[in-house]
Amino acid sequence: MKTILITGGAGFLGSHLCRYFLEKNNKVFCVDNFLTGNNSNIEDLNTHPQFHFIHHNMCHPLYIGEKLDAILHFASPASPIDYQKVPIPTLKVGALGTHNALGLARAHNASILLASTSEVYGDPQIHPQKEDYWGHVNPIGPRGCYDEAKRFLEALTFAYHRTHKLKTSIVRIFNTYGPNMRLQDGRAVPNFISQALENKDMTIHGDGSQTRSFCYVLDLVEGIAKALEVNQPDPINLGNPQEMTVLQCAQKIIEATLSHSKIVFEKRPVDDPNVRRPDITRAKEILGWKPTTTLSEGLKKTIPYFKKVLSISE
Ligand SMILES: NC(=O)c1ccc[n+]([C@@H]2O[C@H](COP(=O)([O-])OP(=O)(O)OC[C@H]3O[C@@H](n4cnc5c(N)ncnc54)[C@H](O)[C@@H]3O)[C@@H](O)[C@H]2O)c1
């Protein structure tokens, strides 16, 4: 049994990670300040004897009295709506929060895996995106607070790895969806599902021809667990390389929910990337990982969660 600390553990990805590591018989410390997370994501875990919740803002130092084996640093707003509402806390958790997480790992001689993002590539000029692409980011645009926070997270992680020989891993996560996302989270899949289930207009930014690739959350969690096991400091892309337009995604969700929603087009947000698809060659080679869930299968597992939240009967 290992002792694992997960920051951002009450969020979408963090809550799945807490569950995954508990199921594998580990002890889990979940740290969160509920900035964008929700107690309902972890409520059922509170009675688990190996689960311990710590209400804490990672921008402040954290001391843990017992030996930690591993840390997963996932605390950070992740949806554009969230981080544009709270740009300073986003930058702070990417900088100070990451510093505190790395310091904690150093104090415990624990391995640490940090959540980075495809957003470090910005609006990419290389397609699909490989890890050796340095990105095309507008540091002062509305997304800059998130993109640059994560680029700083990567730089600080490497400084700790080089200076203190810390065992670090960085995963660059591409769009992921699944249960425990908030209805008002603003990301494409939860937005479309909630609009479709309520037969409201489905709002697409621009003409919907921009592409994304959507990874089902449990596929991603498997990739993260594998990345924690290997000794590889270089960033690894994790995501589903099956690319589609945002319009195609909306149409798939209309079909899957049997919705009567109409698709309507809205102004495209500033710096919205045109294309997004991970090159996962490195993940395949180093981790032996690739996602196995198609969007249709993933939607079948996700839609019932949203129905429950919206109190819509099956
Ligand atoms: N979901 C995705 O598609 C995706 C893609 C790329 C990267 N990521 C990264 O994965 C991580 C989790 O994303 P998510 O989708 O679960 O987002 P989320 O908003 O659901 O979860 C983030 C969690 O971090 C917590 N948090 C934020 N600031 C904190 C602080 N200062 N101290 C303690 N807790 C804090 C929030 O309360 C929340 O529970 C983020 O670091 C994000 O950048 C996610």
Side-chain angles (χ1 to χ4, degrees):
M1 183 172 84
K2 287 190 172 157
T3 304
I4 300 177
L5 182 137
I6 301 174
T7 77
F12 162 49
L13 297 181
S15 59
H16 286 279
L17 288 165
C18 288
R19 234 163 235 109
Y20 177 91
F21 286 105
L22 286 170
E23 277 163 17
K24 301 272 177 211
N25 291 324
N26 298 289
K27 179 171 188 170
V28 170
F29 284 101
C30 165
V31 181
D32 209 291
N33 67 348
F34 296 128
L35 179 62
T36 54
N38 206 322
N39 187 43
S40 62
N41 288 339
I42 50 166
E43 222 164 13
D44 59 316
L45 300 180
N46 281 318
T47 50
H48 193 295
Q50 299 305 339
F51 180 78
H52 306 275
F53 179 72
I54 303 172
H55 192 285
H56 180 79
N57 181 344
M58 279 307 294
C59 297
H60 304 296
L62 176 64
Y63 301 96
I64 302 286
E66 66 185 272
K67 173 85 180 82
L68 297 175
D69 297 299
I71 295 175
L72 289 97
H73 181 45
F74 277 68
S76 169
S79 129
I81 286 193
D82 288 335
Y83 60 70
Q84 288 176 31
K85 239 187 258 161
V86 288
I88 296 172
T90 302
L91 280 155
K92 283 175 81 173
V93 75
L96 304 175
T98 300
H99 184 227
N100 289 323
L102 287 162
L104 189 63
R106 190 176 167 220
H108 286 258
N109 197 21
S111 20
I112 179 164
L113 178 144
L114 300 98
S116 184
T117 168
S118 55
E119 300 280 339
V120 297
Y121 301 122
D123 187 6
Q125 292 164 314
I126 300 275
H127 192 63
Q129 292 78 54
K130 266 178 121 97
E131 291 87 346
D132 58 7
Y133 176 50
W134 292 353
H136 180 230
V137 171
N138 175 2
I140 58 163
R143 304 172 84 102
C145 60
Y146 180 65
D147 304 5
E148 297 295 1
K150 292 294 183 177
R151 289 168 71 96
F152 181 84
L153 168 149
E154 293 198 8
L156 190 61
T157 301
F158 258 78
Y160 264 76
H161 174 70
R162 292 193 181 109
T163 309
H164 299 302
K165 313 283 174 265
L166 204 62
K167 191 169 171 247
T168 58
S169 320
I170 296 171
V171 288
R172 289 187 181 151
I173 303 167
F174 284 64
N175 290 34
T176 300
Y177 68 95
N180 294 2
M181 290 184 102
R182 280 169 300 135
L183 291 176
Q184 309 307 334
D185 164 306
R187 287 178 274 192
V189 172
N191 233 21
F192 291 156
I193 295 181
S194 52
Q195 289 170 334
L197 286 176
E198 296 190 299
N199 292 307
K200 290 184 178 159
D201 284 352
M202 277 172 92
T203 46
I204 292 204
H205 297 147
D207 63 3
S209 63
Q210 66 274 35
T211 67
R212 297 291 183 269
S213 51
F214 300 101
C215 184
Y216 183 61
V217 63
L218 295 187
D219 281 347
L220 182 87
V221 164
E222 291 283 345
I224 291 168
K226 284 180 184 252
L228 189 63
E229 278 166 24
V230 300
N231 192 9
Q232 172 55 261
D234 290 337
I236 301 181
N237 285 342
L238 292 181
N240 193 323
Q242 203 201 344
E243 186 180 11
M244 66 184 70
T245 66
V246 169
L247 182 59
Q248 285 169 331
C249 171
Q251 284 161 338
K252 254 192 185 312
I253 289 174
I254 289 184
E255 275 167 35
T257 49
L258 306 172
S259 173
H260 302 299
S261 292
K262 273 198 325 256
I263 290 182
V264 296
F265 299 93
E266 285 187 341
K267 205 168 151 247
R268 192 100 182 263
V270 178
D271 294 337
D272 189 33
N274 281 316
V275 286
R276 199 34 79 69
R277 170 156 66 100
D279 180 319
I280 59 164
T281 310
R282 190 178 281 179
K284 282 185 187 158
E285 285 173 5
I286 295 176
L287 310 178
W289 174 87
K290 65 175 182 347
T292 54
T293 311
T294 63
L295 182 61
S296 304
E297 290 164 349
L299 288 176
K300 268 195 207 140
K301 298 177 187 182
T302 307
I303 290 167
Y305 168 80
F306 282 90
K307 281 191 172 168
K308 204 169 124 202
V309 175
L310 288 166
S311 307
I312 296 172
S313 52
E314 284 289 322

